[in-house]
Amino acid sequence: MASQQFCTFLLDGHLFGVPVSAVQEVIRFQSMTPVPLAPPPVEGLINLRGQIVPALDLRRRLSLGKRPEGELPVNVVVRTPDGAVSLLVDEIGDVIEVGDSTFEFPPETLRGAVRSMILGVHKLEGKLLHLLDTEKICQVQDVSALPAAG
Amino acid sequence: MDEIVKDFLIESNENLDRLDQELVKLESEPSSKELLASVFRTIHTIKGSCGFLGFARLEKLAHAGESLLSRLRDGKLALNGEITSGLLAMVDAVRHMLAAIQASEQDGEEDYAPLIEVLARLQDGQAGESRAAAADQSPAVLLPQPTPEAESATPTDLASQPTSATAASKPKRKPRRKKERCDPAKICEVVIESRQARPERVAFAPESQPAEPKVDEVVSPAVAHPEDAPAAQHSQEFHNPYASVETIRVGVTLLDRLMNLVGELVLARNQLLQFCNSTEDAGFQAVSQRMNLIASELQEEVMKTRMQPIGNIWNKFPRTVRDLAHNCGKEVQLVMEGQDTELDRTIIEAIKDPLTHLVRNSMDHGIEEPEARKRAGKNPAGSLTLRAFHEGGQVNLEISDDGAGLNGERIRQKAMERGLISVQQATSMPDRDVFNLIFLPGFSTAERVTNVSGRGVGMDVVKTNVEKIGGTVDIQSTAGLGTTVRVKIPLTLAILPALMVTCGGERFAIPQVSLSELVRLDAEQSGPGIEFVHGVPVYRLRGRLLPLVYLDRELGIRSYSGSEPTRTAAINIVVLQAEDRQFGLIVDEITDTEEIVVKPLSKQLKGISAYSGATIMGDGRVALILDVLGLAQRAKVIAEPREKAYDEDSSEAAAEAVPDEHALLLAENGLEGRVAIPLSMVARLEEFPRTVVEHAGTQEVMQYRGQIVPLVRLSAIIPATSDAEILANAGSIQVVVYSEGKRTVGLIVDRIVDIVAERAAVEVLTPRAGVMGSFVTQRQVTDLLDMPAIVRAALPGLLDAAEPEAGRP
C-alpha cells in the first residue's frame, strides 16, 4: 500500500488522523448524558440514531490541556470491534492522502501511556500528522483501576 | 411435507451444526460440564422430537448417543478421543438420516446397527478394554473400508451401482495385533462413504413418492434431477433448502436494529411535523403527512415482527400428546386455552423447549394409565390443559394435568439419596418446597429410564431456561388430583417498566421489579425524619430502621464537604429491595413510570456495577438504568448480614410466599381494630402534621401535590373504640393515598403498622359497609377494606361523577 487516506482533526493545535476506513461518520456536537463513576475520558453517552454510543474526550485521553470554555467539540464516530465510539475533537480537518515515504515511528523519547496510542507521524509540509490507534484509544474499560470521576 | 417435520429439520440441522463445534471444543476441554450438558440436551431434544414424529431408526441412534452422553455427564466416563469420534460419527449419521427424511420423509433403511453397537460399547466403559475393542472391532464393523472401485468411483458410477452401500460395508478386518487407537478420521470416512452411498436413495425417492407435490423442484436438485444427484452429494447438500423457501430466518439483532431505527425515524418525524406546522407550504405539508403515515405504519409492522401468538408453538402439542399417549398406553385429552396470547419471539423461542419438557413430563409421570385411573375413580382419559393469559404485564403459562400428582415422600427420599438435602431438611421441609426440589439438576424420580423422559434432564433445564429470560416456575400438586406447573414470563425481553428519577439534573431509570414503595418527606419532616446511627442516615419506616443511600453521593455527582447538608427541601425516598434487604435511595425527584427499552452499555462502561444498561428517552436523550443490586453492594447495604427488616411473623409469611397471596397494608383503627388494604390499591403512604387538614365546606381536604384532595377518616366509616384523646393529641396524621382514575382521595388511619404478604382466606362474619371480610394475620383478626366502597360511602358521587367509566359496582 503506497498511500493511505486519513481523516484528520485538530486537538490543542496539533494535527491528528485516523484511517478513513475506521470512521463511520462525523457529526456536530450533541448534548450527551454524563456517566457518573465512568473512567475520566468518557464524556458521556450520545444517542446515535437509536444506538447508544460512548463519547471519549480525546484531549483528556491523550493528556492534552483542557478544551477552552465555550468551544464545542465535534464527534468523530469510529468503528471498533466492540461497537461504535465517538471521539470528541476540537475541529475536523480534511481527508488527506499520504504515502509511506513521509512516515516515521514516534521518537524514543515519547513515553508513557500516550505512546501506545500513537502509531507514528507523517511529516507534512510545516506540520506533523499524528496517527492514532483507534482500538487502543477506545480501550478504557478498566474502571476499577481508575479513580472515580467527579 | 408436514409443517412439524419441516420445523424439525430446520431446527435439527442448526443444532447439529452447533453440535459439531461443541464436540470438538469438548475434546479440548473435556471437563466442561456446561458443554457436556449442552451437547446432551441437543441430542436429547433431537431424540425426543423424532420420537414424536415416528422416525424410529433415528430415535434409536440418538438414544444410543444420549445414553453415552448421559454417562459422560454423570462423570462415570471420561471423554477421550475415541468417544468424541464415536459421537461425531453419530452426529454425521443423524445428519445423514435427516437428509433422507428431507428427501423422502422416511429416515432411511439404514439402521446404523454397527455404530449403535460401538456407542453402546463405549458406554460400557473400561477405557482400556474399549480401546482394544475399538481397535479390534470397531474399524471392522464401523469402518467398512471402501472397496477400490468405490474409492475411485465417479459419481455416475455410484448412481449406477445400487448396491454400493452393501458393497462398501463388506468388512475388511484390520490386523488384530495393531493396538492403534481408533482414528477419528477413519470414522469420518465411513460417514463420507455412506454419504456417497446416499445418492441412489435420494435420487429414487421421488419415484417411490410421486404424489409429493410440495417438494420444491428448484431448491432440491437431488430430487429434480436424479441424474445430477451424485454430483451434488457434498456436505453442503445437507443444508436445509426449506430455510430459504417459505421463511427467512432473520437475526433478532437485526430486528432490534430495525426497531431502533424506526424509533429514531418516529422521533425525526415528530420534529418534522412540528416544523411543518410553522410553514404554509401546502406541498411540504402533504409530503410530511404522507411521511407521517408511512412512519407510523412502519413502526407498527416492525413491532409485529417480534410478536408471535403462543399458538405457534402449541400447534405441535396435539400431535406430541397423541403420539406420547399412544406410546405410554394412556388416554389423554389436550385442552388449550389462550392460543392467541402474544409474546416476543425471542421469548417464544426460549420457552419452546421448556414447554415441551413440561408436557412430556405430565404425560409420562403425571397422568396414570387408564386402569389406574379407573381404580382411583377417575375418568380413564386423563386431561392435560395448557393455558396462556396476560396478567400484570406478564404472560402466565399453565400446564396442568389431572394425574397422580407429586409424591412428596418419594421426592424427599430421592433428594436424600442424591444428597441434595439432608435428613433434617427433609423432615422439616413443607411439601411445597419439596415439590420445587424436582427443579434441581440431576433429579428424577422415574423408576426406569424411558425414552420419553426420566433422565433427570427435564426440570432443571426448564427452570434454567425460564429464569434466563426473567421468568419464574412454580409447581403445585395435590396427591391424587394432579399437578400444575405455572410459568410466568415477561412479555418481552427488551421492554422494562421503570421508575424515572432525577438526581443532579440527570435522569435515571430504576427497574420496577426491585421497587417496594416510595416515601416523600415534606420539608418540615425531612429534618427530623432522617436520623443517624453513628453518622449513617436511616429512616423509620413503620417503626423499623431503613438504611438510606444518597444517590448523588454514591455516584459522586455531588460531594459534601464535612457535615451533613441541612436539607430544607422535601426528600424523596425510593424504597428498594436488594436480595432480601430493603434500603432507601434518596433522589432529587421522582418523575414518572415509563416503559423503557433496555440497551447494553458499551465495553468502556461495563465495569461500573451501579448501572445495568442505558435507554433512550422520548426526547432522544440517553438515560442510565440503575442496577439496584450493584448499587446496594457499592453502598455496602448488602455487604454484611443485618437483622432483616421484617418481624418474625411477617418474615414467615414472606417465606411461605405462594402465588395467590396478596401484599396487604396493615393499619390500626382505634385501639383494637386492625384493617388491611390491598397494597395494589395504595398509591402512596404519607405522614402529615395535623395542620394540613383544611375544610372545603364540611368536607375535610388537604393540599397535596398541587391538588385538593378530599380526606376520609377511617374511624368515621368503621366505628372503632377509638381513644379520642390520643388522636387529638397526636401531632401528625397518617394518610393512605388512594387513586381511582384521575381522582385522589386520602384515607386517614390511626397508624400504619406493616406490609405483609398474606394468602387471603377471607371470611365474611357480619356484612359491614366498606369491609370485604375478615382474616387472621399476625395473630390478630383483621378487616379487609373495600376501598372503592369506602370512598363511595364517604364521598358519594365524587368518583363516579368525575370518571363514570372508572366506576366499579
Side-chain angles (χ1 to χ4, degrees):
Chain A
M1 249 210 271
S3 68
Q4 227 188 331
Q5 287 189 319
F6 289 95
C7 172
T8 65
F9 43 81
L10 288 171
L11 279 172
D12 203 13
H14 305 290
L15 190 65
F16 289 86
V18 290
V20 163
S21 55
V23 178
Q24 182 179 319
E25 59 196 294
V26 176
I27 46 176
R28 63 188 170 79
F29 177 77
Q30 288 212 317
S31 68
M32 56 188 102
T33 304
V35 183
L37 307 177
V42 179
E43 188 78 7
L45 296 171
I46 60 171
N47 170 10
L48 189 69
R49 294 185 303 281
Q51 208 186 343
I52 296 178
V53 173
L56 304 184
D57 184 358
L58 267 197
R59 275 193 179 231
R60 224 173 306 160
R61 185 76 182 114
L62 296 170
S63 313
L64 299 169
K66 238 184 138 199
R67 187 171 292 114
E69 290 273 326
E71 259 185 39
L72 288 180
V74 179
N75 291 285
V76 178
V77 182
V78 295
R79 298 186 196 93
T80 76
D82 306 296
V85 175
S86 167
L87 306 177
L88 297 177
V89 304
D90 294 357
E91 208 179 303
I92 191 82
D94 295 328
V95 171
I96 53 173
E97 197 165 335
V98 286
D100 286 344
S101 56
T102 55
F103 182 79
E104 222 167 286
F105 286 105
E108 301 304 316
T109 42
L110 175 64
R111 287 193 199 151
V114 173
R115 189 189 168 92
S116 68
M117 291 183 265
I118 295 180
L119 292 169
V121 287
H122 277 283
K123 297 159 287 181
L124 307 183
E125 224 165 285
K127 57 196 166 188
L128 294 174
L129 170 65
H130 304 69
L131 299 188
L132 294 178
D133 183 336
T134 46
E135 268 185 51
K136 287 262 166 55
I137 292 264
C138 297
Q139 278 169 9
V140 283
Q141 72 271 41
D142 199 21
V143 183
S144 49
L146 292 158
Chain B
M1 193 180 282
D2 212 335
E3 194 69 35
I4 194 171
V5 177
K6 255 189 252 176
D7 281 356
F8 165 68
L9 287 174
I10 293 176
E11 189 186 282
S12 300
N13 276 318
E14 281 177 10
N15 279 343
L16 286 176
D17 288 345
R18 208 184 55 223
L19 210 55
D20 270 343
Q21 295 168 13
E22 283 181 343
L23 279 174
V24 173
K25 216 160 121 199
L26 196 60
E27 204 170 14
S28 56
E29 34 185 315
S31 54
S32 165
K33 281 256 183 305
E34 225 166 90
L35 269 175
L36 252 176
S38 167
V39 169
F40 180 72
R41 272 173 223 163
T42 308
I43 290 292
H44 187 73
T45 308
I46 291 179
K47 185 201 79 172
S49 308
C50 60
F52 311 141
L53 297 172
F55 300 126
R57 290 189 192 85
L58 180 48
E59 189 186 0
K60 210 168 149 199
L61 177 65
H63 186 80
E66 193 195 4
S67 299
L68 176 58
L69 280 165
S70 143
R71 292 186 62 87
L72 287 170
R73 189 191 57 160
D74 295 345
K76 292 183 180 128
L77 261 182
L79 190 83
N80 55 29
E82 202 178 305
I83 294 180
T84 310
S85 305
L87 288 172
L88 281 172
M90 178 205 59
V91 170
D92 286 343
V94 169
R95 186 168 298 172
H96 189 183
M97 279 175 155
L98 290 176
I101 292 168
Q102 193 169 306
S104 63
E105 289 196 50
Q106 303 290 326
D107 51 353
E109 285 97 58
E110 227 161 308
D111 58 6
Y112 293 93
L115 180 56
I116 291 174
E117 221 172 281
V118 170
L119 290 173
R121 195 165 299 130
L122 287 171
Q123 183 195 339
D124 284 340
Q126 300 116 344
E129 199 182 296
S130 80
R131 184 166 300 173
D136 284 356
Q137 307 185 18
S138 66
V141 216
L142 173 68
L143 307 170
Q145 294 300 303
T147 55
E149 308 93 275
E151 248 180 352
S152 60
T154 59
T156 29
D157 285 338
L158 269 172
S160 65
Q161 201 181 5
T163 51
S164 76
T166 36
S169 63
K170 198 179 285 172
K172 211 184 196 181
R173 289 202 169 257
K174 283 213 140 196
R176 273 178 183 250
R177 50 188 187 283
K178 260 198 181 171
K179 285 266 180 192
E180 61 174 12
R181 290 189 49 180
C182 182
D183 181 0
K186 295 244 174 73
I187 295 186
C188 292
E189 253 172 52
V190 77
V191 176
I192 291 162
E193 198 177 351
S194 41
R195 276 185 192 161
Q196 285 173 343
R198 176 111 326 251
E200 308 86 37
R201 206 169 306 126
V202 175
F204 297 131
E207 283 178 23
S208 57
Q209 295 208 335
E212 179 57 73
K214 273 193 197 159
V215 176
D216 199 303
E217 293 184 348
V218 186
V219 289
S220 187
V223 172
H225 313 287
E227 66 281 3
D228 295 341
Q233 288 301 317
H234 294 298
S235 60
Q236 63 264 37
E237 232 288 11
F238 294 100
H239 281 283
N240 199 306
Y242 287 104
S244 59
V245 186
E246 281 162 26
T247 56
I248 303 175
R249 292 212 155 206
V250 180
V252 176
T253 42
L254 180 60
L255 288 180
D256 282 344
R257 250 193 82 62
L258 273 179
M259 204 142 97
N260 277 345
L261 289 173
V262 167
E264 284 299 300
L265 181 68
V266 168
L267 282 180
R269 182 225 25 213
N270 293 347
Q271 287 169 351
L272 187 70
L273 287 181
Q274 265 171 17
F275 183 58
C276 174
N277 288 338
S278 58
T279 64
E280 301 279 300
D281 191 333
F284 178 64
Q285 284 190 341
V287 172
S288 333
Q289 209 48 47
R290 244 171 75 88
M291 156 103 183
N292 179 14
L293 283 176
I294 295 169
S296 308
E297 216 165 296
L298 185 63
Q299 187 186 22
E300 231 169 82
E301 296 302 311
V302 169
M303 294 292 266
K304 263 194 223 156
T305 59
R306 293 180 60 96
M307 298 302 271
Q308 281 186 320
I310 186 111
N312 281 10
I313 50 172
W314 280 9
N315 287 341
K316 297 179 176 177
F317 288 138
R319 169 109 192 239
T320 308
V321 167
R322 189 202 148 274
D323 288 358
L324 267 177
H326 199 71
N327 266 0
C328 314
K330 294 174 183 175
E331 287 172 51
V332 180
Q333 236 174 356
L334 179 68
V335 184
M336 297 197 282
E337 290 167 24
Q339 281 110 310
D340 303 334
T341 312
E342 287 211 320
L343 272 171
D344 193 289
R345 64 190 311 142
T346 41
I347 293 195
I348 292 250
E349 283 290 312
I351 54 162
K352 198 161 83 183
D353 288 349
L355 275 186
T356 312
H357 274 300
L358 288 174
V359 167
R360 288 164 64 180
N361 256 333
S362 278
M363 295 287 304
D364 199 29
H365 306 314
I367 294 170
E368 318 93 318
E369 265 127 51
E371 275 311 306
R373 292 184 63 90
K374 264 189 224 158
R375 255 179 282 138
K378 292 199 243 183
N379 184 344
S383 100
L384 181 68
T385 309
L386 297 178
R387 281 184 64 202
F389 55 96
H390 288 279
E391 188 186 79
Q394 283 192 315
V395 175
N396 286 347
L397 300 174
E398 282 180 7
I399 298 96
S400 37
D401 62 61
D402 64 346
L406 291 173
N407 184 335
E409 272 322 298
R410 222 170 81 201
I411 296 173
R412 275 194 183 88
Q413 253 170 27
K414 268 276 144 73
M416 280 189 285
E417 268 172 39
R418 312 215 163 178
L420 300 172
I421 54 169
S422 68
V423 180
Q424 239 176 348
Q425 277 175 309
T427 46
S428 64
M429 211 179 241
D431 266 4
R432 244 198 329 271
D433 295 350
V434 170
F435 295 156
N436 281 306
L437 288 177
I438 66 170
F439 291 116
L440 292 177
F443 190 93
S444 175
T445 58
E447 300 296 337
R448 67 210 148 85
V449 172
T450 65
N451 69 346
V452 179
S453 56
R455 283 173 189 275
V457 69
M459 292 310 245
D460 69 306
V461 181
V462 169
K463 197 173 162 92
T464 348
N465 283 1
V466 170
E467 281 176 357
K468 224 184 268 169
I469 53 170
T472 56
V473 194
D474 187 71
I475 192 158
Q476 281 178 307
S477 179
T478 317
L481 291 180
T483 308
T484 297
V485 179
R486 193 171 291 135
V487 180
K488 282 191 186 195
I489 36 181
L491 259 185
T492 154
L493 290 179
I495 296 172
L496 183 88
L499 179 78
M500 299 306 300
V501 302
T502 54
C503 188
E506 288 301 326
R507 277 171 303 183
F508 295 93
I510 301 173
Q512 289 232 339
V513 275
S514 24
L515 185 67
S516 308
E517 59 187 295
L518 302 175
V519 177
R520 184 183 161 90
L521 301 181
D522 277 343
E524 306 91 78
Q525 298 167 323
S526 60
I530 294 182
E531 295 167 271
F532 296 90
V533 178
H534 201 76
V536 175
V538 292
Y539 172 69
R540 291 191 204 196
L541 183 68
R542 288 185 293 281
R544 283 178 207 96
L545 295 183
L546 181 77
L548 295 178
V549 173
Y550 287 85
L551 182 60
D552 49 4
R553 239 174 296 174
E554 219 41 67
L555 297 184
I557 297 172
R558 276 186 293 246
S559 48
Y560 302 99
S561 47
S563 63
E564 292 303 320
T566 42
R567 295 250 182 182
T568 46
I571 287 183
N572 289 298
I573 304 175
V574 183
V575 183
L576 297 169
Q577 190 82 31
E579 284 176 353
D580 58 346
R581 209 137 295 150
Q582 280 195 329
F583 69 100
L585 187 69
I586 297 185
V587 300
D588 292 355
E589 231 176 292
I590 292 164
T591 14
D592 207 352
T593 59
E594 230 169 282
E595 304 258 294
I596 57 168
V597 178
V598 182
K599 298 183 186 220
L601 283 174
S602 61
K603 200 176 107 197
Q604 290 86 355
L605 305 172
K606 275 251 163 75
I608 311 174
S609 61
Y611 314 117
S612 60
T615 185
I616 295 175
M617 306 301 299
D619 60 0
R621 275 184 63 96
V622 179
L624 291 159
I625 303 169
L626 295 179
D627 182 335
V628 171
L629 205 61
L631 205 60
Q633 277 158 351
R634 260 194 100 82
K636 309 274 187 286
V637 174
I638 53 173
E640 52 194 323
R642 230 176 121 263
E643 281 290 300
K644 281 189 184 176
Y646 336 89
D647 66 22
E648 207 186 23
D649 282 0
S650 56
S651 70
E652 249 169 46
E656 283 171 24
V658 287
D660 18 332
E661 49 170 46
H662 302 282
L664 298 171
L665 177 76
L666 297 184
E668 265 174 19
N669 184 30
L671 283 180
E672 315 244 304
R674 273 264 191 147
V675 296
I677 302 164
L679 204 57
S680 54
M681 298 209 158
V682 178
R684 286 169 83 95
L685 300 174
E686 299 278 5
E687 186 168 0
F688 296 111
R690 294 202 81 73
T691 48
V692 300
V693 180
E694 295 175 63
H695 287 83
T698 53
Q699 177 64 49
E700 283 186 309
V701 296
M702 67 171 180
Q703 297 174 30
Y704 180 65
R705 307 179 108 196
Q707 266 188 312
I708 299 174
V709 173
L711 293 171
V712 178
R713 284 184 188 271
L714 181 61
S715 50
I717 307 287
I718 301 175
T721 50
S722 120
D723 197 329
E725 239 175 275
I726 293 180
L727 285 182
N729 290 342
S732 62
I733 53 168
Q734 295 196 312
V735 181
V736 176
V737 181
Y738 166 75
S739 290
E740 194 175 308
K742 290 205 163 68
R743 299 309 304 244
T744 305
V745 175
L747 181 73
I748 302 179
V749 297
D750 290 353
R751 195 168 76 87
I752 291 165
V753 183
D754 201 356
I755 290 174
V756 293
E758 193 70 44
R759 246 194 308 180
V762 178
E763 289 170 55
V764 181
L765 303 168
T766 48
R768 281 172 293 163
V771 177
M772 288 206 254
S774 307
F775 66 101
V776 175
T777 182
Q778 298 187 342
R779 300 192 194 94
Q780 268 186 289
V781 175
T782 306
D783 290 336
L784 185 62
L785 296 186
D786 183 352
M787 286 300 278
I790 288 177
V791 170
R792 272 180 190 78
L795 308 159
L798 173 85
L799 294 175
D800 300 303
E803 291 255 320
E805 71 275 18
R808 285 178 230 167

